[in-house]
Amino acid sequence: MPQLSLHTPLGDLTLSEEDGAIVALDWGRGRDQDSTPLLLRARAQLQDYFDGTRTAFDLPLAPHGTAFQRKVWDALCTIPAGQTRSYLDIARQVGCRAPRAIGQANGSNPIPILIPCHRVVAANGALGGYSGGEGAATKRYLLDLERPASEADTLFTAAARPAQRRSRS
């Protein structure tokens, strides 16, 4: 299975391709690197996302999972960048009575970020869990990255925080 890694502010990520579609995004650097046209396109789109110039992805995705999981993951893809939905909202959207099942499907998402499971929070607004990277800190980073410009820090509050370096590879 072709794989290609990239360095991000969250550390190294590795994309995997199968039959012309992205099937996985994993934390860490893959052992083998294969620069297929699709993986190069996916890497470029992710780099643009982390640079703040992209809010949506245009990539063929084929996550392996049950029919229910795929239904949930499809629903996650309808959440616009900069917005969140509750587990209960997604449960209602897919016709499920158990928000906990939505949480389990989120945790099984093999293509995080591209399938934005980080945009799902608890009904009371609490962050909830996240299975990728550093857990809740990674989820918070992704949600902050996607905040609309109108909610972004002002020059004065942004200047109080140290800048993060981003590199492409």
Side-chain angles (χ1 to χ4, degrees):
M1 173 182 323
Q3 293 184 323
L4 186 63
S5 298
L6 67 147
H7 184 72
T8 75
L10 298 173
D12 289 335
L13 299 177
T14 298
L15 295 154
S16 299
E17 174 185 349
E18 186 176 281
D19 297 327
I22 302 297
V23 295
L25 186 151
D26 297 298
W27 266 259
R29 189 155 197 87
R31 185 186 62 159
D32 300 320
Q33 301 292 303
D34 190 359
S35 300
T36 69
L38 174 60
L39 291 175
L40 288 170
R41 194 169 110 219
R43 181 175 73 180
Q45 287 189 23
L46 279 164
Q47 288 170 329
D48 289 346
Y49 170 79
F50 284 110
D51 286 344
T53 61
R54 174 178 287 277
T55 59
F57 300 99
D58 178 26
L59 299 164
L61 305 177
H64 296 279
T66 66
F68 174 75
Q69 289 171 329
R70 288 191 309 271
K71 189 174 182 180
V72 170
W73 300 333
D74 287 344
L76 301 181
C77 290
T78 68
I79 307 170
Q83 296 184 24
T84 59
R85 300 289 183 272
S86 72
Y87 295 98
L88 181 59
D89 292 334
I90 300 300
R92 288 178 178 148
Q93 184 176 343
V94 301
C96 174
R97 294 183 185 186
R100 183 170 293 211
I102 303 305
Q104 291 172 337
N106 269 11
S108 299
N109 175 10
I111 316 174
I113 303 172
L114 300 177
I115 297 176
C117 53
H118 60 278
R119 296 179 189 155
V120 182
V121 298
N124 67 0
L127 209 53
Y130 192 69
S131 60
E134 299 292 322
T138 297
K139 186 173 187 172
R140 170 57 52 211
Y141 178 89
L142 293 169
L143 291 172
D144 287 347
L145 179 67
E146 295 179 355
R147 279 188 307 180
S150 62
E151 295 178 25
D153 290 330
T154 67
L155 176 63
F156 302 107
T157 57
R161 258 191 263 140
Q164 290 186 328
R165 295 186 63 191
R166 298 178 191 202
S167 64
R168 292 181 180 241
S169 62

